[in-house]
Amino acid sequence: MGNCCSDVAGGHASIGTTAGDLRHQADTANDAVDYFLRSRGHRGLFSQIELLFSASGLRDRDVLSKSDPMLVLYTKGKNGALEELGRTEVVLNSLDPTWITKHTLIYHFEVVQVLVNCSIKFFHHRFRVYDVDTQFHNVDVKMLKLEEQQFLGEATCALSEIITRFDQSLTLDLHRDDFITSTHSQNYGKLLVHCEESLSSKTAIEMIFRCSDLEYRDLFSRSDPFLLISKVVEGGMQIPICKTEVIKNDLNPMWKPVFLNIQQVGGKDSPLIIECYNFNSNGKHDLMGKVKRSLLELEKIHSSGQGEKLFLPNKVVLNSQLFVDKFTESVQYTFLDYVAGGFELNFMVAVDFTASNGNPRLPDSLHYLDPSGRQNAYQRAIVEVGEVIQFYDSDKRFPAWGFGARPIDGPVSHCFNLNGSSHYCEVEGIQGIMTAYTSALLNVSLAGPTLFGPVISNAALIASHSVANGGRKYFVLLIITDGVVTDLQETKDALVKASDLPLSILIVGVGGADFKEMEVLDADKGEPLESSSGRVASRDIVQFVPYRDVQSGEISVVQALLAELPTQFLTYVRSRNIQPSL
């Protein structure tokens, strides 16, 4: 699955600037560039996988011979209807077929779901097996009318269920729901689904870029350049896929290595646009020039040792040049490699029970439990995040806390176990979280203030214990809140300390509050976090988003943020040279 990141120390220190000052400035600029990158359409990592199929013990529907099975693959579309993705070939005279045809799918971490709750639409996959009648054996499978074939059985699963298996294979029981046969379960055979990640998703290109003779764009200093790399898709649209760090005050910059995988680019001969910008803190970065070259052409530029002149949109060719000082191709471990190798994502949740949410018994409360069954924003956020991550957690036991409430006959607590226990914080599955949340609303009094520090410290303690015990786990804490945090510095201290741990924190703001001040916790939208002792966070582990309702078929803002998790995971394991157990 690859990504675009740098793990080599780099940059040039300017005269009169300490290394710490420069690092702080560069990190601030780079975080702002990350935000700029996403605003241009960049999404999280994805991977191309191939599905292979075989079956055993199929029903024999032919009189004088065995069945001639064909498999049809479906996915559930945005409108809830089944959409056909493809068909295998027909295997003649076999009840235990192994199909040769492979089906290619794009795996997206944030939307791979099973249909668990009919009020929310998720992506999942369905497989149907048909016995193709003899008279149609010479007909192209794409032209076959399925209603003219004999239906043998079907099975449904989530893509996540396959890729999280150690051998990335899943055996499913085939069944038929089109008629009632008897009170006893019927055996329609089994379907084996196996997935393999495409080599193009693993093949990474490492490049080191530098520029010479860039133009001055700042009045009182040299420019602060960075590179933005985009691929060109059908119709000429540019899709950003990578960026370098910002180098302060330098007209001849050399950037840290960047990594692109072949899958991201589309192919070594696919055109890339490499744009050089001068960083501006207001987000309006100045274009200093660009080049349009494929990976094959960039490799030739590296081999020649010559530079490529930059040009502007009006076709003016500049004296500035782009050089490729390094170009190497290698195979990298991907997110799916780590998942198949035994790494797990562990889900944790913390719910805001402060009084500003309103009386839970009244319909205008953010905690109101609608008798019709319609979920409130807290419940929807829990489901949207939890239903994704649960497939990557083998025991599905999730720590769940509340904060800002007064338990019966007790003082205000800023981290209490949602299940009401004084001894353990875990609940069973997503439904366990929902049940504990509902019960807590009946057994606590909403109070305040809004403090994140205790909850984050608890989550960090669990993550640190896992590291100390050699655990191969990465933790994801979801904090849902209706207001601005009041222990800002304590929260920053806890986050800086937690940035060294296998932990990501997703903060979702619900209700109509002004969450502008909360963005300081998300380094993508501001300066990097710094503790009261002056220590800067080793990496950005926080994503903040105000929750909003989405239209039917849209990906929610919460799921869009989940797309960042594989990148944060890979940044952690690669920075510590942690290898998957394959």
Side-chain angles (χ1 to χ4, degrees):
M1 176 179 271
N3 72 335
C4 178
C5 62
S6 296
D7 58 2
V8 179
H12 306 287
S14 58
I15 297 175
T17 304
T18 67
D21 291 339
L22 181 63
R23 190 180 309 115
H24 181 82
Q25 295 168 6
D27 286 345
T28 301
N30 294 330
D31 292 328
V33 171
D34 283 332
Y35 186 64
F36 171 67
L37 183 66
R38 287 202 299 276
S39 71
R40 295 276 294 268
H42 177 69
R43 290 189 64 191
L45 303 182
F46 61 88
S47 187
Q48 180 174 288
I49 64 171
E50 295 177 332
L51 295 180
L52 301 90
F53 307 97
S54 62
S56 61
L58 296 179
R59 285 292 186 91
D60 192 354
R61 302 298 298 273
D62 291 346
V63 177
L64 301 178
S65 65
K66 297 177 180 176
S67 295
D68 308 312
M70 173 186 72
L71 182 139
V72 183
L73 171 63
Y74 298 87
T75 188
K76 192 162 189 177
K78 294 179 180 179
N79 62 356
L82 289 180
E83 298 175 358
E84 183 177 326
L85 294 181
R87 304 178 181 187
T88 67
E89 78 280 10
V90 177
V91 177
L92 299 179
N93 197 32
S94 177
L95 302 181
D96 304 290
T98 296
W99 290 281
I100 297 174
T101 304
K102 299 179 181 179
H103 288 284
T104 300
L105 297 174
I106 298 299
Y107 162 77
H108 289 285
F109 169 81
E110 72 278 11
V111 294
V112 179
Q113 305 274 352
V114 293
L115 186 61
V116 176
N117 187 317
C118 62
S119 65
I120 302 177
K121 296 178 175 58
F122 299 118
F123 290 87
H124 69 299
H125 297 90
R126 180 170 295 180
F127 316 98
R128 288 179 175 170
V129 182
Y130 291 85
D131 176 20
V132 177
D133 195 271
T134 304
Q135 63 178 309
F136 300 109
H137 284 181
N138 293 323
V139 179
D140 188 322
V141 294
K142 296 179 181 178
M143 304 300 296
L144 291 175
K145 296 181 179 179
L146 297 181
E147 63 270 17
E148 296 177 348
Q149 316 308 320
Q150 297 187 72
F151 177 49
L152 296 178
E154 68 179 5
T156 302
C157 75
L159 191 55
S160 305
E161 292 179 90
I162 308 171
I163 64 170
T164 52
R165 298 296 179 99
F166 180 77
D167 59 355
Q168 296 190 316
S169 297
L170 181 65
T171 300
L172 302 167
D173 289 323
L174 291 170
H175 62 88
R176 292 186 60 169
D177 295 330
D178 53 338
F179 61 89
I180 300 175
T181 55
S182 71
T183 57
H184 301 289
S185 61
Q186 298 294 307
N187 180 16
Y188 293 97
K190 296 183 181 296
L191 176 69
L192 175 66
V193 187
H194 175 73
C195 77
E196 296 178 352
E197 191 172 6
S198 168
L199 182 61
S200 64
S201 296
K202 299 171 179 280
T203 304
I205 306 295
E206 179 185 357
M207 292 177 286
I208 294 180
F209 292 107
R210 67 179 171 91
C211 280
S212 66
D213 301 320
L214 293 177
E215 297 182 350
Y216 282 84
R217 289 300 177 95
D218 294 335
L219 291 177
F220 304 107
S221 65
R222 297 184 178 92
S223 300
D224 306 322
F226 69 93
L227 298 180
L228 179 67
I229 304 173
S230 305
K231 65 179 178 181
V232 182
V233 297
E234 189 174 348
M237 181 179 178
Q238 293 181 212
I239 304 296
I241 55 175
C242 184
K243 59 91 184 173
T244 67
E245 78 280 12
V246 174
I247 296 183
K248 306 289 288 186
N249 198 32
D250 198 330
L251 299 179
N252 298 283
M254 175 184 290
W255 290 276
K256 300 176 185 178
V258 296
F259 297 87
L260 294 174
N261 68 26
I262 302 298
Q263 176 63 34
Q264 278 180 300
V265 175
K268 293 190 71 172
D269 57 351
S270 300
L272 293 173
I273 304 292
I274 304 175
E275 298 169 300
C276 184
Y277 284 93
N278 175 44
F279 174 80
N280 286 313
S281 57
N282 62 6
K284 298 179 180 179
H285 311 304
D286 306 313
L287 179 64
M288 304 177 71
K290 62 181 180 178
V291 299
K292 182 177 182 180
R293 288 290 181 263
S294 67
L295 286 175
L296 285 175
E297 292 169 325
L298 292 173
E299 188 174 17
K300 291 179 181 178
I301 292 173
H302 166 68
S303 300
S304 70
Q306 302 296 311
E308 179 81 5
K309 286 195 173 184
L310 276 63
F311 65 89
L312 293 172
N314 58 9
K315 306 300 182 181
V316 172
V317 178
L318 306 173
N319 291 326
S320 307
Q321 293 189 85
L322 176 75
F323 293 84
V324 184
D325 284 354
K326 182 178 182 179
F327 188 103
T328 59
E329 186 173 329
S330 62
V331 175
Q332 280 194 327
Y333 290 122
T334 67
F335 176 71
L336 294 186
D337 286 331
Y338 284 94
V339 169
F343 255 93
E344 295 190 7
L345 298 183
N346 286 185
F347 181 46
M348 302 183 282
V349 64
V351 178
D352 183 337
F353 284 89
T354 55
S356 54
N357 283 279
N359 187 339
R361 295 177 178 82
L362 301 179
D364 60 351
S365 170
L366 294 171
H367 281 306
Y368 180 64
L369 300 177
D370 195 325
S372 70
R374 184 178 184 272
Q375 295 176 334
N376 62 39
Y378 283 93
Q379 293 171 312
R380 292 199 299 273
I382 291 170
V383 169
E384 289 180 19
V385 177
E387 290 288 4
V388 174
I389 299 177
Q390 66 171 345
F391 289 107
Y392 304 86
D393 189 328
S394 60
D395 66 7
K396 294 179 174 55
R397 295 182 60 86
F398 307 131
W401 302 291
F403 60 92
R406 180 180 292 104
I408 296 176
D409 299 326
V412 174
S413 174
H414 301 294
C415 186
F416 58 90
N417 296 332
L418 207 59
N419 58 16
S421 170
S422 58
H423 305 294
Y424 61 94
C425 61
E426 292 182 332
V427 298
E428 295 279 354
I430 304 304
Q431 187 55 49
I433 299 176
M434 302 292 273
T435 301
Y437 165 71
T438 302
S439 177
L441 285 174
L442 302 176
N443 292 289
V444 301
S445 299
L446 276 56
T450 304
L451 307 182
F452 286 178
V455 166
I456 294 172
S457 295
N458 254 20
L461 184 62
I462 292 175
S464 63
H465 283 167
S466 175
V467 172
N469 294 325
R472 299 175 73 79
K473 299 176 182 292
Y474 191 89
F475 297 86
V476 181
L477 171 62
L478 170 66
I479 300 176
I480 316 172
T481 182
D482 82 316
V484 176
V485 63
T486 53
D487 63 336
L488 185 59
Q489 190 55 58
E490 290 81 357
T491 297
K492 287 183 178 181
D493 290 346
L495 290 173
V496 170
K497 186 176 181 180
S499 66
D500 293 326
L501 295 169
L503 174 66
S504 288
I505 299 174
L506 178 61
I507 304 175
V508 177
V510 297
D514 182 2
F515 292 106
K516 190 70 176 177
E517 293 180 33
M518 294 288 284
E519 294 184 355
V520 70
L521 301 177
D522 187 345
D524 288 341
K525 303 169 184 176
E527 296 188 0
L529 293 178
E530 185 174 325
S531 71
S532 53
S533 64
R535 183 189 170 203
V536 176
S538 60
R539 62 191 182 97
D540 178 22
I541 64 171
V542 177
Q543 299 290 325
F544 169 77
V545 62
Y547 192 88
R548 63 175 178 84
D549 288 326
V550 297
Q551 301 301 313
S552 176
E554 287 185 354
I555 299 301
S556 78
V557 291
V558 175
Q559 289 174 338
L561 279 185
L562 281 173
E564 304 288 336
L565 280 179
T567 300
Q568 294 182 0
F569 171 88
L570 287 173
T571 299
Y572 175 80
V573 294
R574 287 174 177 171
S575 66
R576 286 153 180 80
N577 197 30
I578 299 173
Q579 307 292 313
S581 301
L582 298 176

